[in-house]
Amino acid sequence: MQIFAKKLLLDQHGKATNFRLHTLQYPHMRALHFAWLSFMVAFMAWYAIPPIVYHIAEDLGIDSIMIYDSNMAAVAITIVARLVVGPLCERFGPRRVMACILVCGAIPCGMTGLIKNGAGLIGLRAIIGVLGATFVPCQFWTTQMFAPSVLGTANAISAGWGNMGAGVTYLIMPAIYDGIVKHTTNAIAWRTTFIIPAVICLLVASLDFFAATDTPHGDWLKLRQAEENGSSSSSVSMEAADQKAEKGDIVTTTETTISSDGVDDESLKGVKKNESAKESFKGFARVLCKPAVLIMMIHYACSFGIELAIDNVIGQVFREKFSLDTSTSSYIGSIFGLLNICSRLCGGLFSDFLAHRFHLPGRILAHLILMTLEGIFLIGFSFGLINMATAIVLMIFFSFFVQSVCGSTFGIVPFIDPENNGKIMGIVGAAGNVGGLVFGLMFRELQPDFETSFLCLGAISLGTGIIGNAVLHVQGKTIWHIFRRHD
């Protein structure tokens, strides 16, 4: 697989089979980079409060229970948002949905300074939590642009680099606050800090809407209109290409049909763009009954859900266990989120690598290996909170595998029911937030016993990973087909 290719190669459907990560080539690479950038700034605004929440609590007199409740509120609202956003992507396309969510989340983020008590903090974080739904158009967008043979990597890049926003916010929010508080009071400093992530979200939303497109064939709504009129999408595609050529864009590649070398030849059909609300609801019920969807929901809850729960408490873990100040503990905690720059990508690459050898059963095998290691290192961390050096090293390992499992999960998800990808991505994505809510409650009830919390996380991940992958069926394939091939 080429990551920094000289030319972008397309399959017969116009989807890219390699990458030019060093460019913003229209439309494929621009969509990929805008997808992860949008998710990253959304994540940054979504988790902007935890790194400096103790400064807010000190000013407003908010106790630790209300802080935990605000953490859960930020995760809970995203469950509903992701379920709603999936069908919206199928209806309006990922670009418009992404821009709309960023705008809707940026406004309350910028208004954080207006809160006056714990109830206000909980309510505001619930509203800001809508930004977590950007995950769905992020994955949906890359699914439209890249071929099945590289889809695990494409989805892992967009979501992994997007998830890096949690680490970025743990770095920049304390730094912004520390810079402002030198010249004013704590009460003014924390209220001013949140304007910056809000403005960034608005700028990226503008880029999404005005500088990108939804599919290799052009604008989603034009394609939907063409389908309703009974005409082919090729004319729309040619018109879009001509328009970009007139603007001097860099769409200059001429390679056309590149096969997947037999990888994932189980098909990725096009998403239905003109479903009625009734059909969409029936589709929801239909995919929700699929055992593969239910298993992926559990596994994503045990990967992204764990990541969300830890994002809310990792600074507190180091702050309370090793008596660190708020800024230092936040900087150490940022390592957890920043590892997304490579960890989720590695999960997608590993999924694609084994898929080249064993097709879909290889993706399931990759998923099993990563979930097993995730569970082992989470259990190890629960026993490693004895000194800071040991804790940091074990945190690096468990965070790598927690995030890698997110990548391998979405190396499988697009193949479960390709015609309903938006719905499935919304459902599985929402399950991740359910996991974040459940595990957040566990941290709340067991505080300050973080050792037991991480032990439970590891045991749950290990058990569900082994059992779930042993019975997982995707397009008629299971992990056991690997061994049948060699009989």
Side-chain angles (χ1 to χ4, degrees), residues 113-133:
L114 300 178
I115 62 174
K116 298 180 179 179
N117 50 43
L121 177 66
I122 294 170
L124 188 81
R125 290 204 68 190
I127 299 171
I128 295 175
V130 72
L131 286 167

Side-chain angles (χ1 to χ4, degrees), residues 59-277:
D59 184 42
L60 301 181
I62 300 173
D63 60 36
S64 61
I65 295 298
M66 298 202 82
I67 292 174
Y68 270 99
D69 289 342
S70 75
N71 292 340
M72 290 182 287
V75 173
I77 192 65
T78 312
I79 299 170
V80 178
R82 289 188 174 188
L83 290 172
V84 173
V85 163
L88 289 179
C89 285
E90 294 178 350
R91 186 71 178 173
F92 300 104
R95 177 174 57 93
R96 289 179 176 84
V97 174
M98 179 71 85
C100 182
I101 296 173
L102 286 174
V103 172
C104 291
I107 296 171
C109 178
M111 296 173 65
T112 302
L114 300 178
I115 62 174
K116 298 180 179 179
N117 50 43
L121 177 66
I122 294 170
L124 188 81
R125 290 204 68 190
I127 299 171
I128 295 175
V130 72
L131 286 167
T134 50
F135 170 78
V136 178
C138 169
Q139 297 289 270
F140 193 88
W141 208 349
T142 49
T143 299
Q144 303 309 307
M145 292 291 184
F146 292 90
S149 58
V150 297
L151 191 55
T153 302
N155 281 345
I157 290 172
S158 61
W161 290 2
N163 278 3
M164 194 168 58
V168 171
T169 197
Y170 268 95
L171 275 180
I172 70 167
M173 293 303 289
I176 295 170
Y177 170 83
D178 290 342
I180 296 174
V181 79
K182 291 177 182 178
H183 307 285
T184 185
T185 63
N186 172 55
I188 296 175
W190 71 259
R191 286 180 166 86
T192 308
T193 300
F194 295 98
I195 296 173
I196 294 175
V199 171
I200 294 173
C201 284
L202 293 174
L203 290 174
V204 174
S206 300
L207 286 175
D208 289 338
F209 191 80
F210 293 109
T213 192
D214 300 281
T215 76
H217 306 296
D219 184 87
W220 191 273
L221 294 184
K222 290 182 179 178
L223 293 173
R224 195 181 81 186
Q225 185 177 10
E227 285 187 4
E228 291 172 350
N229 294 336
S231 60
S232 67
S233 63
S234 59
S235 60
V236 180
S237 175
M238 289 301 296
E239 179 184 348
D242 290 343
Q243 289 175 351
K244 296 308 292 184
E246 291 171 4
K247 295 179 181 179
D249 207 278
I250 58 174
V251 183
T252 58
T253 57
T254 57
E255 283 80 355
T256 53
T257 305
I258 304 295
S259 70
S260 308
D261 298 324
V263 179
D264 294 331
D265 50 1
E266 298 86 352
S267 85
L268 267 177
K269 299 177 183 177
V271 174
K272 297 176 182 177
K273 300 182 180 66
N274 52 3
E275 275 189 329
S276 66

Side-chain angles (χ1 to χ4, degrees), residues 305-380:
I306 288 175
E307 184 176 354
L308 289 179
I310 294 175
D311 278 333
N312 276 319
V313 302
I314 191 65
Q316 182 185 358
V317 171
F318 284 93
R319 181 175 179 268
E320 295 188 5
K321 286 295 178 182
F322 305 110
S323 302
L324 303 175
D325 60 73
T326 300
S327 294
T328 302
S329 61
S330 293
Y331 291 141
I332 294 173
S334 71
I335 297 171
F336 177 75
L338 290 174
L339 276 172
N340 272 294
I341 196 171
C342 64
S343 55
R344 190 158 183 160
L345 171 59
C346 288
L349 284 169
F350 190 42
S351 180
D352 284 346
F353 172 75
L354 290 188
H356 276 277
R357 294 178 61 86
F358 306 114
H359 304 285
L360 273 174
R363 294 190 183 276
I364 301 173
L365 176 61
H367 194 51
L368 171 63
I369 293 170
L370 293 174
M371 286 202 77
T372 301
L373 292 170
E374 173 195 349
I376 290 172
F377 280 104
L378 279 167
I379 292 171

Side-chain angles (χ1 to χ4, degrees), residues 386-399:
I386 50 177
N387 65 72
M388 192 160 65
T390 302
I392 291 174
V393 170
L394 288 171
M395 178 186 70
I396 291 172
F397 278 101
F398 86 67
S399 61

Side-chain angles (χ1 to χ4, degrees), residues 302-303 306 367-383 397-402 405 454-466:
C302 292
S303 52
I306 288 175
H367 194 51
L368 171 63
I369 293 170
L370 293 174
M371 286 202 77
T372 301
L373 292 170
E374 173 195 349
I376 290 172
F377 280 104
L378 279 167
I379 292 171
F381 184 76
S382 70
F383 293 102
F397 278 101
F398 86 67
S399 61
F400 177 86
F401 288 108
V402 166
V405 171
F454 280 97
L455 179 62
C456 291
L457 291 180
I460 293 169
S461 300
L462 191 60
T464 57
I466 293 172

